[in-house]
Amino acid sequence: VHSFLIPSLMSAPRVYFYHLNALGHLYHLSEEKAAACLLSSADSLQKMSLQQQRAAQLPSGPAHLRMVPFLNFFFRQLRPTGDIEGLSENQKLLVQHFPFQSICKGELNLLHTAETPFVYHSFDIELDSAESSKPRKLLYAGNLKQEFSPSQIRVDEEDGKLYYPSPSVHYKNPCLIASPLAIQLSQLFTEHETPTQDYSGVYLMLDAQGNKTNSIDTATPLLFLGKE
């Protein structure tokens, strides 16, 4: 369940639709594509041709938006979707599937998410870098940075996905760490103790500053999501 701050009322003369996948890749959706993907019932999908079914799938692959200034601006402006005036009937049906909005010069960009509205996709300094004296930061959007503290990483007990605190005051829940970055981090996991209700039994072999360590004494215990 998402927890939001209360959004303000606004009007939206021009509306655009976007999808954020679990890798943190942002895709533009035409209104027709958004409707096909999100308003098609299971029954109607069964009656579609294979080509129509493919057209009704949310986008993936390399054709995502890559313009760093746009991505940074888009995610800096991201808020929970408020009440919107001036929508067509089709847009009103779509809005319920787009819980986040980003306003840009009178245009309203609505966001549908596979997971969380912010996804951490990389570090500004690679884990194997020799620049250990510099504090490492997590990157999201294009190249927006969030302070990194290994002790704040959490693991979902059910599916093993990794999460980190949100970079935005407008979204309070932990945000997904994309799978390529999670795989990098998992290579530093060491099973050390028996899992408990709060603790996964795994240590992340990074110290408090985010640098690799060979000592359990300075490594970071990996807690379950929702545990402090």
Side-chain angles (χ1 to χ4, degrees):
V1 178
H2 298 311
S3 57
F4 309 134
L5 299 184
I6 298 173
S8 58
L9 301 178
M10 62 167 293
S11 60
R14 290 174 293 177
V15 182
Y16 299 92
F17 300 93
Y18 294 85
H19 169 68
L20 183 72
N21 72 6
L23 294 174
H25 295 163
L26 185 68
Y27 298 85
H28 175 258
L29 305 175
S30 68
E31 186 173 329
E32 293 74 19
K33 176 72 170 178
C37 294
L38 300 171
L39 299 183
S40 299
S41 66
D43 183 59
S44 65
L45 284 172
Q46 290 179 353
K47 297 176 182 178
M48 291 180 181
S49 67
L50 182 60
Q51 184 177 2
Q52 289 173 322
Q53 289 179 13
R54 287 174 178 168
Q57 294 176 349
L58 287 165
S60 60
H64 55 88
L65 299 173
R66 300 173 186 269
M67 297 173 289
V68 170
F70 171 78
L71 291 170
N72 289 347
F73 183 85
F74 183 99
F75 285 98
R76 281 196 189 104
Q77 297 293 103
L78 206 62
R79 307 286 188 272
T81 299
D83 294 332
I84 307 169
E85 299 176 0
L87 297 180
S88 68
E89 291 304 313
N90 192 58
Q91 288 172 341
K92 290 178 182 177
L93 292 174
L94 280 171
V95 164
Q96 62 184 316
H97 298 282
F98 291 80
F100 306 98
Q101 64 184 26
S102 179
I103 304 168
C104 176
K105 297 181 180 179
E107 297 177 353
L108 181 63
N109 301 303
L110 294 174
L111 180 65
H112 173 272
T113 65
E115 293 277 350
T116 57
F118 304 96
V119 177
Y120 298 106
H121 53 71
S122 54
F123 283 116
D124 64 336
I125 302 173
E126 294 297 326
L127 286 171
D128 291 327
S129 171
E131 297 182 75
S132 59
S133 61
K134 295 183 179 180
R136 188 173 280 107
K137 298 181 187 296
L138 285 166
L139 301 183
Y140 65 99
N143 58 6
L144 295 179
K145 297 181 180 181
Q146 176 72 353
E147 298 291 339
F148 176 58
S149 172
S151 65
Q152 296 299 307
I153 293 177
R154 295 292 182 268
V155 60
D156 189 307
E157 188 173 3
E158 294 184 1
D159 59 23
K161 292 179 180 178
L162 298 182
Y163 292 82
Y164 194 79
S166 171
S168 172
V169 299
H170 300 285
Y171 184 78
K172 298 298 188 181
N173 293 341
C175 291
L176 184 69
I177 294 177
S179 56
L181 182 56
I183 290 170
Q184 288 184 46
L185 290 167
S186 70
Q187 293 171 354
L188 300 175
F189 288 175
T190 295
E191 292 188 17
H192 182 62
E193 297 171 339
T194 303
T196 66
Q197 184 176 355
D198 298 338
Y199 165 56
S200 65
V202 170
Y203 269 71
L204 176 60
M205 301 305 290
L206 294 175
D207 63 21
Q209 287 71 46
N211 299 316
K212 288 184 178 180
T213 178
N214 294 319
S215 172
I216 285 292
D217 293 336
T218 55
T220 304
L222 187 61
L223 302 185
F224 288 128
L225 189 63
K227 305 301 182 181
E228 299 296 333

